[in-house]
Every structure is written in structure tokens, then in C-alpha cells.
Amino acid sequence: MRYTRVSVGGRAVWGRVGEEDVELLSESPLDATRRQRHGERGPTVVGTVPRAGATWLPVVVPPVFYAVGMNYPRHIEHARAEVPTRPEVGYRANNALTGHGSPIVKPAGVEGRFEAEPELVAVIGRTLRHATYKEAQEAVFGWTIGNDVSARTWQHQDRTFWRSKNSDTFKPMGPWIETDVDALAQTTTLRVNGEVRASFATGDMVFDPFDFIVEITRHSTLQPGDVLWMGAESTCQLEPGDTVDIEISGIGVLSNPVHSEGNPS
């Protein structure tokens, strides 16, 4: 099943994605899944919008936005970093999220490397604390795609990632949550203007998503709607005027144009 959020009359509405249409739902499938486990009724369809004309929103606004770094061996080798010995996470800001089809805006003050990173994203579907590995697997509601846009000069200038990774529009996520896929058996492909810039085995990680979920829940409670971005093997330079597509086989394609601040073209 594929779930998403779309804008209808300026209002965020959950939907179930079909071949031609998006069926609008009465409630979040995350809430419905929780109630269905207690024998209650699921969401109902309250309308449809054509898929081709949908205004896609970030698939979820997470209570907590977790992000993994340096989790692919080739990325670690390229960065001349040490291989991590345990799964550790960082955080990102919700203001950076934007949806499929919406522009990535390069701020006027950014110079130097402005890069995309294609990432698998786990969407948490249940409350979890002190999880076993099996419980971590069962807690993932589904999978989506993220583009970890970074302004590298700011990243090296600042003591934190507050603007280099968290500026508005720097975290496209979508186009939907796929609930029926073996995400770690897929291939991630990054294209800029239709040209392949990177391709790698999605599951070729140092630690998999469930390792991170187990580690997180030793210290913090995961909630439905939390997201965990899993890092990337490769990065790619972006310029205003580009269109960047991230495809994860079995999930879909996240596509966003790149604009300059103050210049929508």
C-alpha cells in the first residue's frame, strides 16, 4: 500500500495512492493502524484527486526527525572517516521538509558545494521503548525517500548543522510511504537532469535501520510518525535550474527542481 499527504484547498489530507488517483482518507493511516490493532475501524475514503494534478506534501510531519550519517562504507572511505562501531543518530529540523515536486531553494548566501544525498527513510508506526531487533522490524510502518541537501561551506564554517542541513526546503521527502517492500533489497539511483550520477545497493549499510531503532529505544521513546533517514553512499552537486530525481526501486521516485533564492526559474 502507498500512503501520502496532499494539499486540498490549502489543507493537508492523507491519501492512498492508486494508479490514476489519490483516494483522500478520513484520518492518518498511522492512527488507524493503531486502532485497528485494537479491533477498531480503519480510515474511510472521503474523496479523490487526480494523481497527475496532486500537490504533494512531505509524507509525514515527524514528532522527531532522526538522521544517520556515515553509514555506507564507500561514503566513509571517500570522507576518510572512521567506520562507526555503534549506531548513533543525529537530528534534523521539520522546517527543512518539503514535498515531491516542490523546489529546493538555494539560499543567496550559499557558495561552493551544494549537494544532494539520496536516502532511504523509515517511517515509524508504533510507540516503542527498549525494543528487540524483531520489535524494531515490526515497528516500521513503511518506507519513503529523502534528499539530504547540504551547503558544505556552511557545514564547515558552523559548529553545528543548523543552517547547512536544516535551511528551508533542504529536506525533500516523498512521494509516498510504501508499506509492502523489502527496502534493504533495493537499488538507489540519483539522477540530475535525467543523467545518472550515482547508483548503489540500498541495503549496503554499516548498520541497518533496525539496529538504529534498537539503539534509539534504549534511551528515547519512538512515536508513530517519527522518521529515520539512513544516510547515503554518494553525493552530487546541484545548481539552480537542475531537476534532481532520487529513485529507490520498489518504492518510487522523489523529484524536485532546484531554484535560486528570489528567482523561481
Side-chain angles (χ1 to χ4, degrees):
M1 198 74 68
R2 290 174 170 175
Y3 293 102
T4 192
R5 293 190 320 136
V6 295
S7 179
V8 179
R11 183 170 61 96
V13 181
W14 278 93
R16 187 164 51 219
V17 182
E19 291 298 322
E20 301 293 335
D21 298 318
V22 178
E23 295 180 331
L24 305 178
L25 301 178
S26 59
E27 61 180 322
S28 160
L30 294 166
D31 294 336
T33 298
R34 173 178 53 79
R35 287 208 299 278
Q36 283 174 314
R37 287 200 296 270
H38 293 87
E40 298 180 30
R41 177 180 168 180
T44 58
V45 176
V46 296
T48 63
V49 294
R51 177 168 158 175
T55 300
W56 307 86
L57 299 174
V59 292
V60 67
V61 178
V64 181
F65 185 160
Y66 295 95
V68 173
M70 295 296 174
N71 194 37
Y72 282 81
R74 286 184 58 188
H75 192 181
I76 294 167
E77 181 182 358
H78 177 75
R80 299 180 181 178
E82 294 184 0
V83 177
T85 58
R86 63 189 179 97
E88 297 183 68
V89 296
Y91 300 90
R92 299 290 179 262
N94 284 349
N95 68 277
L97 290 168
T98 195
H100 170 68
S102 296
I104 298 163
V105 179
K106 182 179 181 180
V110 168
E111 298 178 353
R113 291 158 55 206
F114 185 65
E115 295 183 332
E117 296 184 48
E119 303 201 10
L120 175 69
V121 180
V123 180
I124 303 302
R126 61 180 66 179
T127 303
L128 205 62
R129 184 78 157 96
H130 298 300
T132 64
Y133 190 88
K134 185 174 186 298
E135 289 170 337
Q137 292 175 304
E138 294 171 346
V140 174
F141 174 75
W143 306 90
T144 189
I145 304 168
N147 184 353
D148 180 17
V149 175
S150 303
R152 300 301 186 190
T153 299
W154 286 354
Q155 184 174 335
H156 298 310
Q157 287 176 340
D158 301 341
R159 289 185 299 124
T160 71
F161 291 158
W162 74 278
R163 60 175 179 163
S164 65
K165 287 182 174 287
N166 293 314
S167 292
D168 289 352
T169 76
F170 275 25
K171 294 293 172 284
M173 182 170 66
W176 47 65
I177 303 167
E178 173 61 68
T179 63
D180 186 22
V181 64
D182 180 356
L184 300 184
Q186 306 306 316
T187 299
T188 299
T189 304
L190 171 65
R191 298 181 181 90
V192 177
N193 303 326
E195 179 184 341
V196 175
R197 299 293 182 86
S199 185
F200 56 91
T202 309
D204 188 20
M205 303 172 181
V206 178
F207 296 103
D208 70 28
F210 317 114
D211 294 322
F212 281 95
I213 291 170
V214 168
E215 182 66 17
I216 290 168
T217 62
R218 288 175 180 163
H219 310 282
S220 304
T221 301
L222 284 172
Q223 302 287 352
D226 284 346
V227 296
L228 176 62
W229 289 41
M230 290 307 306
E233 184 184 83
S234 303
T235 67
C236 178
Q237 175 71 17
L238 297 177
E239 300 291 349
D242 288 342
T243 296
V244 55
D245 298 333
I246 297 172
E247 179 177 5
I248 299 181
S249 57
I251 299 178
V253 180
L254 171 66
S255 181
N256 300 89
V258 183
H259 293 178
S260 294
E261 186 175 25
N263 184 359
S265 60

